[in-house]
mmCIF file with all atom_site columns, all heavy atoms in Angstrom:
data_model
loop_
_atom_site.group_PDB
_atom_site.id
_atom_site.type_symbol
_atom_site.label_atom_id
_atom_site.label_alt_id
_atom_site.label_comp_id
_atom_site.label_asym_id
_atom_site.label_entity_id
_atom_site.label_seq_id
_atom_site.pdbx_PDB_ins_code
_atom_site.Cartn_x
_atom_site.Cartn_y
_atom_site.Cartn_z
_atom_site.occupancy
_atom_site.B_iso_or_equiv
_atom_site.pdbx_formal_charge
_atom_site.auth_seq_id
_atom_site.auth_comp_id
_atom_site.auth_asym_id
_atom_site.auth_atom_id
_atom_site.pdbx_PDB_model_num
ATOM   1   N N   . ASN X 1 44  ? -0.728  -15.233 30.666 1.00 0.00 ? 44  ASN X N   1
ATOM   2   C CA  . ASN X 1 44  ? -1.525  -15.443 31.880 1.00 0.00 ? 44  ASN X CA  1
ATOM   3   C C   . ASN X 1 44  ? -0.773  -14.948 33.110 1.00 0.00 ? 44  ASN X C   1
ATOM   4   O O   . ASN X 1 44  ? 0.472   -14.869 33.097 1.00 0.00 ? 44  ASN X O   1
ATOM   5   C CB  . ASN X 1 44  ? -1.851  -16.936 32.043 1.00 0.00 ? 44  ASN X CB  1
ATOM   6   C CG  . ASN X 1 44  ? -2.853  -17.419 31.016 1.00 0.00 ? 44  ASN X CG  1
ATOM   7   O OD1 . ASN X 1 44  ? -4.032  -17.095 31.091 1.00 0.00 ? 44  ASN X OD1 1
ATOM   8   N ND2 . ASN X 1 44  ? -2.393  -18.178 30.036 1.00 0.00 ? 44  ASN X ND2 1
ATOM   9   N N   . PRO X 1 45  ? -1.502  -14.634 34.201 1.00 0.00 ? 45  PRO X N   1
ATOM   10  C CA  . PRO X 1 45  ? -0.827  -14.165 35.411 1.00 0.00 ? 45  PRO X CA  1
ATOM   11  C C   . PRO X 1 45  ? 0.262   -15.117 35.904 1.00 0.00 ? 45  PRO X C   1
ATOM   12  O O   . PRO X 1 45  ? 1.277   -14.674 36.440 1.00 0.00 ? 45  PRO X O   1
ATOM   13  C CB  . PRO X 1 45  ? -1.968  -14.059 36.429 1.00 0.00 ? 45  PRO X CB  1
ATOM   14  C CG  . PRO X 1 45  ? -3.186  -13.776 35.599 1.00 0.00 ? 45  PRO X CG  1
ATOM   15  C CD  . PRO X 1 45  ? -2.978  -14.583 34.346 1.00 0.00 ? 45  PRO X CD  1
ATOM   16  N N   . ILE X 1 46  ? 0.083   -16.422 35.685 1.00 0.00 ? 46  ILE X N   1
ATOM   17  C CA  . ILE X 1 46  ? 1.082   -17.381 36.171 1.00 0.00 ? 46  ILE X CA  1
ATOM   18  C C   . ILE X 1 46  ? 2.438   -17.147 35.502 1.00 0.00 ? 46  ILE X C   1
ATOM   19  O O   . ILE X 1 46  ? 3.488   -17.420 36.099 1.00 0.00 ? 46  ILE X O   1
ATOM   20  C CB  . ILE X 1 46  ? 0.600   -18.847 35.936 1.00 0.00 ? 46  ILE X CB  1
ATOM   21  C CG1 . ILE X 1 46  ? 1.484   -19.838 36.683 1.00 0.00 ? 46  ILE X CG1 1
ATOM   22  C CG2 . ILE X 1 46  ? 0.551   -19.179 34.463 1.00 0.00 ? 46  ILE X CG2 1
ATOM   23  C CD1 . ILE X 1 46  ? 1.359   -19.798 38.163 1.00 0.00 ? 46  ILE X CD1 1
ATOM   24  N N   . LYS X 1 49  ? 4.069   -14.364 37.472 1.00 0.00 ? 49  LYS X N   1
ATOM   25  C CA  . LYS X 1 49  ? 4.441   -14.856 38.811 1.00 0.00 ? 49  LYS X CA  1
ATOM   26  C C   . LYS X 1 49  ? 5.672   -15.762 38.718 1.00 0.00 ? 49  LYS X C   1
ATOM   27  O O   . LYS X 1 49  ? 6.584   -15.696 39.548 1.00 0.00 ? 49  LYS X O   1
ATOM   28  C CB  . LYS X 1 49  ? 3.270   -15.620 39.434 1.00 0.00 ? 49  LYS X CB  1
ATOM   29  C CG  . LYS X 1 49  ? 2.068   -14.743 39.772 1.00 0.00 ? 49  LYS X CG  1
ATOM   30  C CD  . LYS X 1 49  ? 0.889   -15.571 40.273 1.00 0.00 ? 49  LYS X CD  1
ATOM   31  C CE  . LYS X 1 49  ? -0.339  -14.718 40.491 1.00 0.00 ? 49  LYS X CE  1
ATOM   32  N NZ  . LYS X 1 49  ? -1.531  -15.492 40.890 1.00 0.00 ? 49  LYS X NZ  1
ATOM   33  N N   . LEU X 1 132 ? -5.844  -21.858 28.903 1.00 0.00 ? 132 LEU X N   1
ATOM   34  C CA  . LEU X 1 132 ? -5.620  -21.994 30.352 1.00 0.00 ? 132 LEU X CA  1
ATOM   35  C C   . LEU X 1 132 ? -6.742  -21.341 31.153 1.00 0.00 ? 132 LEU X C   1
ATOM   36  O O   . LEU X 1 132 ? -7.248  -21.919 32.127 1.00 0.00 ? 132 LEU X O   1
ATOM   37  C CB  . LEU X 1 132 ? -4.260  -21.408 30.739 1.00 0.00 ? 132 LEU X CB  1
ATOM   38  C CG  . LEU X 1 132 ? -3.824  -21.561 32.189 1.00 0.00 ? 132 LEU X CG  1
ATOM   39  C CD1 . LEU X 1 132 ? -3.890  -23.002 32.644 1.00 0.00 ? 132 LEU X CD1 1
ATOM   40  C CD2 . LEU X 1 132 ? -2.393  -21.041 32.370 1.00 0.00 ? 132 LEU X CD2 1
ATOM   41  N N   . ALA X 1 133 ? -7.163  -20.165 30.760 1.00 0.00 ? 133 ALA X N   1
ATOM   42  C CA  . ALA X 1 133 ? -8.231  -19.475 31.490 1.00 0.00 ? 133 ALA X CA  1
ATOM   43  C C   . ALA X 1 133 ? -9.554  -20.225 31.368 1.00 0.00 ? 133 ALA X C   1
ATOM   44  O O   . ALA X 1 133 ? -10.276 -20.401 32.355 1.00 0.00 ? 133 ALA X O   1
ATOM   45  C CB  . ALA X 1 133 ? -8.376  -18.043 30.975 1.00 0.00 ? 133 ALA X CB  1
ATOM   46  N N   . THR X 1 136 ? -9.478  -23.460 33.344 1.00 0.00 ? 136 THR X N   1
ATOM   47  C CA  . THR X 1 136 ? -9.595  -23.165 34.775 1.00 0.00 ? 136 THR X CA  1
ATOM   48  C C   . THR X 1 136 ? -11.059 -22.898 35.129 1.00 0.00 ? 136 THR X C   1
ATOM   49  O O   . THR X 1 136 ? -11.585 -23.422 36.122 1.00 0.00 ? 136 THR X O   1
ATOM   50  C CB  . THR X 1 136 ? -8.736  -21.939 35.134 1.00 0.00 ? 136 THR X CB  1
ATOM   51  O OG1 . THR X 1 136 ? -7.373  -22.204 34.795 1.00 0.00 ? 136 THR X OG1 1
ATOM   52  C CG2 . THR X 1 136 ? -8.827  -21.614 36.619 1.00 0.00 ? 136 THR X CG2 1
ATOM   53  N N   . GLY X 1 157 ? -13.784 -11.279 40.331 1.00 0.00 ? 157 GLY X N   1
ATOM   54  C CA  . GLY X 1 157 ? -12.852 -11.114 39.209 1.00 0.00 ? 157 GLY X CA  1
ATOM   55  C C   . GLY X 1 157 ? -13.511 -11.522 37.911 1.00 0.00 ? 157 GLY X C   1
ATOM   56  O O   . GLY X 1 157 ? -12.863 -12.044 37.006 1.00 0.00 ? 157 GLY X O   1
ATOM   57  N N   . SER X 1 159 ? -14.623 -10.106 35.292 1.00 0.00 ? 159 SER X N   1
ATOM   58  C CA  . SER X 1 159 ? -14.252 -9.522  33.996 1.00 0.00 ? 159 SER X CA  1
ATOM   59  C C   . SER X 1 159 ? -12.866 -9.983  33.552 1.00 0.00 ? 159 SER X C   1
ATOM   60  O O   . SER X 1 159 ? -12.416 -9.618  32.467 1.00 0.00 ? 159 SER X O   1
ATOM   61  C CB  . SER X 1 159 ? -14.262 -7.996  34.094 1.00 0.00 ? 159 SER X CB  1
ATOM   62  O OG  . SER X 1 159 ? -13.318 -7.592  35.081 1.00 0.00 ? 159 SER X OG  1
ATOM   63  N N   . GLY X 1 160 ? -12.203 -10.785 34.353 1.00 0.00 ? 160 GLY X N   1
ATOM   64  C CA  . GLY X 1 160 ? -10.849 -11.222 34.039 1.00 0.00 ? 160 GLY X CA  1
ATOM   65  C C   . GLY X 1 160 ? -10.820 -12.413 33.106 1.00 0.00 ? 160 GLY X C   1
ATOM   66  O O   . GLY X 1 160 ? -11.861 -12.918 32.667 1.00 0.00 ? 160 GLY X O   1
ATOM   67  N N   . GLY X 1 161 ? -9.613  -12.872 32.824 1.00 0.00 ? 161 GLY X N   1
ATOM   68  C CA  . GLY X 1 161 ? -9.439  -13.996 31.909 1.00 0.00 ? 161 GLY X CA  1
ATOM   69  C C   . GLY X 1 161 ? -10.231 -15.216 32.333 1.00 0.00 ? 161 GLY X C   1
ATOM   70  O O   . GLY X 1 161 ? -10.963 -15.810 31.538 1.00 0.00 ? 161 GLY X O   1
ATOM   71  N N   . VAL X 1 162 ? -10.103 -15.619 33.579 1.00 0.00 ? 162 VAL X N   1
ATOM   72  C CA  . VAL X 1 162 ? -10.848 -16.783 34.076 1.00 0.00 ? 162 VAL X CA  1
ATOM   73  C C   . VAL X 1 162 ? -12.313 -16.415 34.292 1.00 0.00 ? 162 VAL X C   1
ATOM   74  O O   . VAL X 1 162 ? -13.220 -17.152 33.906 1.00 0.00 ? 162 VAL X O   1
ATOM   75  C CB  . VAL X 1 162 ? -10.233 -17.293 35.401 1.00 0.00 ? 162 VAL X CB  1
ATOM   76  C CG1 . VAL X 1 162 ? -11.060 -18.453 35.958 1.00 0.00 ? 162 VAL X CG1 1
ATOM   77  C CG2 . VAL X 1 162 ? -8.795  -17.729 35.183 1.00 0.00 ? 162 VAL X CG2 1
ATOM   78  N N   . GLY X 1 163 ? -12.542 -15.265 34.917 1.00 0.00 ? 163 GLY X N   1
ATOM   79  C CA  . GLY X 1 163 ? -13.893 -14.895 35.329 1.00 0.00 ? 163 GLY X CA  1
ATOM   80  C C   . GLY X 1 163 ? -14.879 -14.794 34.181 1.00 0.00 ? 163 GLY X C   1
ATOM   81  O O   . GLY X 1 163 ? -16.018 -15.249 34.303 1.00 0.00 ? 163 GLY X O   1
ATOM   82  N N   . THR X 1 180 ? -18.698 -9.794  40.299 1.00 0.00 ? 180 THR X N   1
ATOM   83  C CA  . THR X 1 180 ? -18.085 -8.541  40.717 1.00 0.00 ? 180 THR X CA  1
ATOM   84  C C   . THR X 1 180 ? -17.051 -8.084  39.693 1.00 0.00 ? 180 THR X C   1
ATOM   85  O O   . THR X 1 180 ? -16.345 -8.901  39.091 1.00 0.00 ? 180 THR X O   1
ATOM   86  C CB  . THR X 1 180 ? -17.378 -8.670  42.090 1.00 0.00 ? 180 THR X CB  1
ATOM   87  O OG1 . THR X 1 180 ? -16.281 -9.579  41.987 1.00 0.00 ? 180 THR X OG1 1
ATOM   88  C CG2 . THR X 1 180 ? -18.345 -9.157  43.159 1.00 0.00 ? 180 THR X CG2 1
ATOM   89  N N   . CYS X 1 181 ? -17.002 -6.758  39.502 1.00 0.00 ? 181 CYS X N   1
ATOM   90  C CA  . CYS X 1 181 ? -16.050 -6.170  38.563 1.00 0.00 ? 181 CYS X CA  1
ATOM   91  C C   . CYS X 1 181 ? -16.003 -4.671  38.800 1.00 0.00 ? 181 CYS X C   1
ATOM   92  O O   . CYS X 1 181 ? -16.699 -4.158  39.672 1.00 0.00 ? 181 CYS X O   1
ATOM   93  C CB  . CYS X 1 181 ? -16.461 -6.459  37.124 1.00 0.00 ? 181 CYS X CB  1
ATOM   94  S SG  . CYS X 1 181 ? -18.051 -5.742  36.698 1.00 0.00 ? 181 CYS X SG  1
ATOM   95  N N   . SER X 1 182 ? -15.196 -3.953  38.029 1.00 0.00 ? 182 SER X N   1
ATOM   96  C CA  . SER X 1 182 ? -15.170 -2.496  38.130 1.00 0.00 ? 182 SER X CA  1
ATOM   97  C C   . SER X 1 182 ? -16.233 -1.907  37.187 1.00 0.00 ? 182 SER X C   1
ATOM   98  O O   . SER X 1 182 ? -16.752 -2.620  36.317 1.00 0.00 ? 182 SER X O   1
ATOM   99  C CB  . SER X 1 182 ? -13.767 -1.972  37.812 1.00 0.00 ? 182 SER X CB  1
ATOM   100 O OG  . SER X 1 182 ? -13.375 -2.415  36.548 1.00 0.00 ? 182 SER X OG  1
ATOM   101 N N   . ARG X 1 184 ? -16.464 -0.113  34.530 1.00 0.00 ? 184 ARG X N   1
ATOM   102 C CA  . ARG X 1 184 ? -16.392 -0.187  33.050 1.00 0.00 ? 184 ARG X CA  1
ATOM   103 C C   . ARG X 1 184 ? -16.827 -1.538  32.513 1.00 0.00 ? 184 ARG X C   1
ATOM   104 O O   . ARG X 1 184 ? -17.092 -1.685  31.316 1.00 0.00 ? 184 ARG X O   1
ATOM   105 C CB  . ARG X 1 184 ? -14.979 0.156   32.588 1.00 0.00 ? 184 ARG X CB  1
ATOM   106 C CG  . ARG X 1 184 ? -13.953 -0.860  33.021 1.00 0.00 ? 184 ARG X CG  1
ATOM   107 C CD  . ARG X 1 184 ? -12.528 -0.351  32.920 1.00 0.00 ? 184 ARG X CD  1
ATOM   108 N NE  . ARG X 1 184 ? -11.638 -1.251  33.635 1.00 0.00 ? 184 ARG X NE  1
ATOM   109 C CZ  . ARG X 1 184 ? -10.733 -2.018  33.051 1.00 0.00 ? 184 ARG X CZ  1
ATOM   110 N NH1 . ARG X 1 184 ? -10.574 -1.987  31.766 1.00 0.00 ? 184 ARG X NH1 1
ATOM   111 N NH2 . ARG X 1 184 ? -9.973  -2.825  33.774 1.00 0.00 ? 184 ARG X NH2 1
ATOM   112 N N   . ASN X 1 185 ? -16.890 -2.561  33.349 1.00 0.00 ? 185 ASN X N   1
ATOM   113 C CA  . ASN X 1 185 ? -17.218 -3.911  32.863 1.00 0.00 ? 185 ASN X CA  1
ATOM   114 C C   . ASN X 1 185 ? -18.622 -4.388  33.244 1.00 0.00 ? 185 ASN X C   1
ATOM   115 O O   . ASN X 1 185 ? -19.002 -5.514  32.911 1.00 0.00 ? 185 ASN X O   1
ATOM   116 C CB  . ASN X 1 185 ? -16.185 -4.905  33.409 1.00 0.00 ? 185 ASN X CB  1
ATOM   117 C CG  . ASN X 1 185 ? -14.814 -4.676  32.803 1.00 0.00 ? 185 ASN X CG  1
ATOM   118 O OD1 . ASN X 1 185 ? -14.697 -4.485  31.589 1.00 0.00 ? 185 ASN X OD1 1
ATOM   119 N ND2 . ASN X 1 185 ? -13.780 -4.674  33.632 1.00 0.00 ? 185 ASN X ND2 1
ATOM   120 N N   . HIS X 1 200 ? -17.204 -3.659  42.532 1.00 0.00 ? 200 HIS X N   1
ATOM   121 C CA  . HIS X 1 200 ? -16.414 -3.879  43.749 1.00 0.00 ? 200 HIS X CA  1
ATOM   122 C C   . HIS X 1 200 ? -15.728 -2.607  44.231 1.00 0.00 ? 200 HIS X C   1
ATOM   123 O O   . HIS X 1 200 ? -15.335 -2.512  45.385 1.00 0.00 ? 200 HIS X O   1
ATOM   124 C CB  . HIS X 1 200 ? -15.397 -5.009  43.555 1.00 0.00 ? 200 HIS X CB  1
ATOM   125 C CG  . HIS X 1 200 ? -14.310 -4.729  42.564 1.00 0.00 ? 200 HIS X CG  1
ATOM   126 N ND1 . HIS X 1 200 ? -13.269 -3.890  42.825 1.00 0.00 ? 200 HIS X ND1 1
ATOM   127 C CD2 . HIS X 1 200 ? -14.099 -5.188  41.306 1.00 0.00 ? 200 HIS X CD2 1
ATOM   128 C CE1 . HIS X 1 200 ? -12.452 -3.839  41.777 1.00 0.00 ? 200 HIS X CE1 1
ATOM   129 N NE2 . HIS X 1 200 ? -12.944 -4.620  40.838 1.00 0.00 ? 200 HIS X NE2 1
HETATM 130 N N1  . NAP A 2 .   ? -5.575  -17.068 33.725 1.00 0.00 ? 1   NAP A N1  1
HETATM 131 C C1  . NAP A 2 .   ? -5.526  -18.328 34.113 1.00 0.00 ? 1   NAP A C1  1
HETATM 132 O O1  . NAP A 2 .   ? -5.516  -19.233 33.278 1.00 0.00 ? 1   NAP A O1  1
HETATM 133 C C2  . NAP A 2 .   ? -5.505  -18.701 35.569 1.00 0.00 ? 1   NAP A C2  1
HETATM 134 C C3  . NAP A 2 .   ? -5.466  -20.061 35.913 1.00 0.00 ? 1   NAP A C3  1
HETATM 135 C C4  . NAP A 2 .   ? -5.463  -20.422 37.259 1.00 0.00 ? 1   NAP A C4  1
HETATM 136 C C5  . NAP A 2 .   ? -5.446  -19.423 38.219 1.00 0.00 ? 1   NAP A C5  1
HETATM 137 N N2  . NAP A 2 .   ? -5.449  -18.101 37.840 1.00 0.00 ? 1   NAP A N2  1
HETATM 138 C C6  . NAP A 2 .   ? -5.411  -17.103 38.888 1.00 0.00 ? 1   NAP A C6  1
HETATM 139 O O2  . NAP A 2 .   ? -6.697  -16.494 38.951 1.00 0.00 ? 1   NAP A O2  1
HETATM 140 C C7  . NAP A 2 .   ? -6.543  -15.113 39.224 1.00 0.00 ? 1   NAP A C7  1
HETATM 141 C C8  . NAP A 2 .   ? -7.226  -14.309 38.129 1.00 0.00 ? 1   NAP A C8  1
HETATM 142 O O3  . NAP A 2 .   ? -6.591  -14.631 36.905 1.00 0.00 ? 1   NAP A O3  1
HETATM 143 P P1  . NAP A 2 .   ? -7.091  -13.967 35.564 1.00 0.00 ? 1   NAP A P1  1
HETATM 144 O O4  . NAP A 2 .   ? -6.284  -14.528 34.440 1.00 0.00 ? 1   NAP A O4  1
HETATM 145 O O5  . NAP A 2 .   ? -8.563  -14.068 35.446 1.00 0.00 ? 1   NAP A O5  1
HETATM 146 O O6  . NAP A 2 .   ? -6.618  -12.460 35.852 1.00 0.00 ? 1   NAP A O6  1
HETATM 147 P P2  . NAP A 2 .   ? -7.061  -11.102 35.147 1.00 0.00 ? 1   NAP A P2  1
HETATM 148 O O7  . NAP A 2 .   ? -7.426  -11.337 33.719 1.00 0.00 ? 1   NAP A O7  1
HETATM 149 O O8  . NAP A 2 .   ? -6.031  -10.119 35.480 1.00 0.00 ? 1   NAP A O8  1
HETATM 150 O O9  . NAP A 2 .   ? -8.413  -10.737 35.873 1.00 0.00 ? 1   NAP A O9  1
HETATM 151 C C9  . NAP A 2 .   ? -8.483  -10.304 37.198 1.00 0.00 ? 1   NAP A C9  1
HETATM 152 C C10 . NAP A 2 .   ? -9.753  -9.487  37.346 1.00 0.00 ? 1   NAP A C10 1
HETATM 153 O O10 . NAP A 2 .   ? -9.912  -9.174  38.724 1.00 0.00 ? 1   NAP A O10 1
HETATM 154 C C11 . NAP A 2 .   ? -10.690 -8.002  38.785 1.00 0.00 ? 1   NAP A C11 1
HETATM 155 N N3  . NAP A 2 .   ? -10.433 -7.337  40.073 1.00 0.00 ? 1   NAP A N3  1
HETATM 156 C C12 . NAP A 2 .   ? -9.367  -6.589  40.416 1.00 0.00 ? 1   NAP A C12 1
HETATM 157 N N4  . NAP A 2 .   ? -9.496  -6.161  41.685 1.00 0.00 ? 1   NAP A N4  1
HETATM 158 C C13 . NAP A 2 .   ? -10.680 -6.681  42.153 1.00 0.00 ? 1   NAP A C13 1
HETATM 159 C C14 . NAP A 2 .   ? -11.380 -6.599  43.405 1.00 0.00 ? 1   NAP A C14 1
HETATM 160 N N5  . NAP A 2 .   ? -10.883 -5.900  44.429 1.00 0.00 ? 1   NAP A N5  1
HETATM 161 N N6  . NAP A 2 .   ? -12.565 -7.245  43.541 1.00 0.00 ? 1   NAP A N6  1
HETATM 162 C C15 . NAP A 2 .   ? -13.086 -7.953  42.522 1.00 0.00 ? 1   NAP A C15 1
HETATM 163 N N7  . NAP A 2 .   ? -12.468 -8.062  41.304 1.00 0.00 ? 1   NAP A N7  1
HETATM 164 C C16 . NAP A 2 .   ? -11.270 -7.433  41.141 1.00 0.00 ? 1   NAP A C16 1
HETATM 165 C C17 . NAP A 2 .   ? -10.326 -7.174  37.570 1.00 0.00 ? 1   NAP A C17 1
HETATM 166 O O11 . NAP A 2 .   ? -11.538 -6.747  37.005 1.00 0.00 ? 1   NAP A O11 1
HETATM 167 P P3  . NAP A 2 .   ? -12.003 -5.222  37.006 1.00 0.00 ? 1   NAP A P3  1
HETATM 168 O O12 . NAP A 2 .   ? -11.013 -4.463  36.197 1.00 0.00 ? 1   NAP A O12 1
HETATM 169 O O13 . NAP A 2 .   ? -13.355 -5.276  36.380 1.00 0.00 ? 1   NAP A O13 1
HETATM 170 O O14 . NAP A 2 .   ? -12.011 -4.806  38.456 1.00 0.00 ? 1   NAP A O14 1
HETATM 171 C C18 . NAP A 2 .   ? -9.688  -8.165  36.604 1.00 0.00 ? 1   NAP A C18 1
HETATM 172 O O15 . NAP A 2 .   ? -10.403 -8.281  35.393 1.00 0.00 ? 1   NAP A O15 1
HETATM 173 C C19 . NAP A 2 .   ? -5.027  -14.852 39.313 1.00 0.00 ? 1   NAP A C19 1
HETATM 174 O O16 . NAP A 2 .   ? -4.636  -14.894 40.674 1.00 0.00 ? 1   NAP A O16 1
HETATM 175 C C20 . NAP A 2 .   ? -4.437  -15.986 38.553 1.00 0.00 ? 1   NAP A C20 1
HETATM 176 O O17 . NAP A 2 .   ? -3.127  -16.285 38.972 1.00 0.00 ? 1   NAP A O17 1
HETATM 177 C C21 . NAP A 2 .   ? -5.493  -17.740 36.547 1.00 0.00 ? 1   NAP A C21 1
#
Side-chain angles (χ1 to χ4, degrees):
N44 289 287
I46 192 69
K49 293 175 185 176
L132 185 53
T136 301
S159 60
V162 177
T180 65
C181 62
S182 56
R184 66 196 167 112
N185 292 315
H200 66 74

